[in-house]
Amino acid sequence: MKKTSLLIAAFIALIMTPVLADDDDDDEKYGLQALMEARRAGDVLPLITILKHIHPITGDNVVAIEFEQDDGRYKYGVYYLDDNGRRREVYVDAQSGNVLEDELAD
């Protein structure tokens, strides 16, 4: 329970600074406002559901979370540290919870 509370607090701190969108991508949405609109509309799963679903991949090593709409699809980008200390990012479809890809982060 304590870890879940800390994870939620960390996420809230992260999303309070929305990810800035490129001016050329007017139809793509990012950050807290986009997430809140999508949640109200029922278009995405709650973050806690996503985090529970990918816990076998990320463990307790989540370091950052992004939310974006890309090509009409909402997705979470979850950054975490793997067992070797490398920073990775797993992309998760925010509507279905399916893992889209898991790769080394830049």
Side-chain angles (χ1 to χ4, degrees):
M1 181 68 174
K2 202 179 250 189
K3 288 181 184 179
T4 301
S5 298
L6 287 173
L7 216 74
I8 292 170
F11 173 70
I12 290 170
L14 288 170
I15 63 173
M16 293 311 290
T17 308
V19 178
L20 299 176
D22 189 6
D23 289 338
D24 297 333
D25 297 327
D26 292 335
D27 47 330
E28 293 182 357
K29 297 180 182 179
Y30 299 84
L32 180 59
Q33 183 177 353
L35 175 58
M36 292 179 70
E37 288 174 11
R39 283 291 302 133
R40 274 193 290 262
D43 292 337
V44 298
L45 293 170
L47 178 62
I48 193 69
T49 301
I50 297 294
L51 291 174
K52 285 179 183 177
H53 181 71
I54 63 170
H55 190 266
I57 298 170
T58 64
D60 294 329
N61 301 315
V62 173
V63 294
I65 301 168
E66 296 177 345
F67 179 78
E68 61 187 67
Q69 182 184 20
D70 187 22
D71 294 329
R73 169 187 264 172
Y74 289 110
K75 61 184 178 180
Y76 292 101
V78 181
Y79 292 89
Y80 68 99
L81 299 177
D82 68 13
D83 292 338
N84 296 317
R86 295 176 299 191
R87 189 169 172 240
R88 299 187 63 88
E89 183 174 19
V90 59
Y91 290 98
V92 182
D93 183 289
Q95 189 171 35
S96 68
N98 292 334
V99 173
L100 303 171
E101 61 184 292
D102 183 6
E103 63 188 15
L104 283 173
D106 297 330

